[in-house]
Amino acid sequence: MQMPHVVVEKLTQLLGSDHIATEDRRTEHYRSGWRSGQGAALAVVFPQSLLDLWKTLEICVEYNCIIIMQAAKTGLTEGSTPSGNDYDRPVVIINTLAMDKLLVLGNGEQVVSFPGATLHKLEATLKPLNRAPHSVIGSSCLGASIVGGVANNSGGALVKRGPAYTELALFARVNEHGQLEMVNHLGIELGDTPEQMVSNLERGNFTLGSLENTAKASATDYQQRIREVNADTPARFNADTTRLYEASGCAGKLAVFAVRLDTYSVPQTEKTFYVGTNNPHTLATIRRDILGGFKNLPEVGEYLHRDIFDVARHYGKDTFLAVKHLGTNKLPKMFALKGRIDAVLNKKPWLPKFLTDRIMQSVAKLFPQHLPQKMLEYRNRYEHHLLLKMSDDGISEAEQYLDAYFRQNPGAGDYFTCSTKEASAAFLHRFAAAGAAVRYELLHQKHVGEILALDIALRRDDIDWVEKLPPHIADNIELSLYYGHFFCHVFHQDYVLKKGSDAKKVKADMLALLDRRGAKYPAEHNVGHLYEAEDGLQAFYRSLDPTNTFNPGVGKMDKAKRNCSCCI
């Protein structure tokens, strides 16, 4: 077949041989999801400039290729990699990480992010300006990209800011006539042609004028929404049609060149309170009282069940120590290197699978206890744990409330005020929990079944937030691990299944149970190739990408090309 050869040849001429990969071994890392999923690709390309990205798209569209946009590849639902080998056209993966420029607008009140810029870089850029980004969720430590978060309506740990959202973006799309076009909705005049737009943006050759814009650059209504504790719908979830706008929620159905986002002032002081209880209704009451009655919302409110506390303590220790002693800036390269090593070693039949995980697990055991004694005491006393971070005037508000609440309800549980070291350890422990369940399953594969990872959004009025699994589901589960963003009522629920359990059936039964509870899923990792997109989300995808050129099959939709010009 000549066409793939021509495409590779033209992409090589454009980008140079150093910036294109075609061999299976070189492309495997980019064709594989972080937890699961893999597919074939004609090539993986690495444009070094926005102009090269535009020209790459031109070649792909001219030769009828499927385009999969990819940045850090930290998603958990296979949304930025091919899924299987049943596509009807050649697949080209465009990795955007080399295009990682950030433009600071005004005095740091807003930024323009190129497609490869990471949340970690944004945090570092804004810190000297005494500003904070829209998200500082733990995945930023793994190199998650800013545009990837916007494209997937990613949530996060920050109670006040909501999901990543903007109505200001520069993006390319393939219209209903099959023509590639550039759309400039950044609110910045960049020129008339795509080449002018990307060149002027890359050089910073524009006059911004006022930062004021009628279009939103963040989810400005989220604080009001989260305070509505009697609403019978979730606060945030991926298929929420009020959060779907061009680049926001596009899930790779557009080629996003840049997004414009608000930033936030940094609190003067912060303090973390560690709450423990054996009664879920204690935390439900605290959540409703704070959201409904406090003048100042929390900065962060993270939940951990005792079981995930234990799993993270033993199977997330290496992650905890790596972040603490090496810093977050080295983790993205470390995890990328680990992925490449695993891809090679897992093919050696004479080596145990996931050797790097086994080595890291063994090395971590050599280090002394890493968690503060007070946290371990609370682990022994209480089943449910809440990390509550308040700032400025909210600190005294929370102190007075917690003192009064536990004085009046002595059997409800207790709390302590964290020192700086204890607060750091508590949130590092919460971060390590996200990968600890996977590590547990990997190292116990001989004795346990698959891992079923769900992220769900409960109704805002759901008092009975701890799930009760019926026997036909519970009998298939070896270990249930619960953690999440408590005030948003968004939970990560990882189930390690028993050996021999049918993971697909358990998942179907689990989702049916969540449907009856009025929950939404996924809450913040998007549908990827693991979930069926709701009708509103499917309609949104079709409107962005009428010919099904970008990321076909996402949301379990059709992978085949659509010819929509006949409808015009």
Side-chain angles (χ1 to χ4, degrees), residues 365-383:
K365 289 180 180 180
L366 301 176
F367 287 80
Q369 175 58 250
H370 60 294
L371 296 180
Q373 186 59 37
K374 193 70 174 176
M375 284 178 60
L376 296 175
E377 291 175 3
Y378 265 55
R379 179 263 166 225
N380 293 334
R381 290 171 59 189
Y382 300 116
E383 180 181 0

Side-chain angles (χ1 to χ4, degrees), residues 534-554:
E534 294 185 7
D535 290 346
L537 190 56
Q538 290 195 27
F540 176 65
Y541 291 160
R542 290 192 184 98
S543 69
L544 296 181
D545 183 26
T547 63
N548 212 18
T549 296
F550 290 92
N551 210 9
V554 69

Side-chain angles (χ1 to χ4, degrees), residues 231-253:
D232 61 358
T233 57
R236 58 179 171 91
F237 56 99
N238 290 131
D240 183 355
T241 55
T242 67
R243 299 283 188 234
L244 303 176
Y245 189 93
E246 297 179 343
S248 294
C250 72
K253 302 299 285 184

Side-chain angles (χ1 to χ4, degrees), residues 507 527-533 538 553-559:
K507 181 177 180 179
V527 291
H529 288 282
L530 298 184
Y531 296 90
E532 183 176 350
Q538 290 195 27
V554 69
K556 295 189 177 294
M557 295 173 67
D558 190 8
K559 292 181 177 179

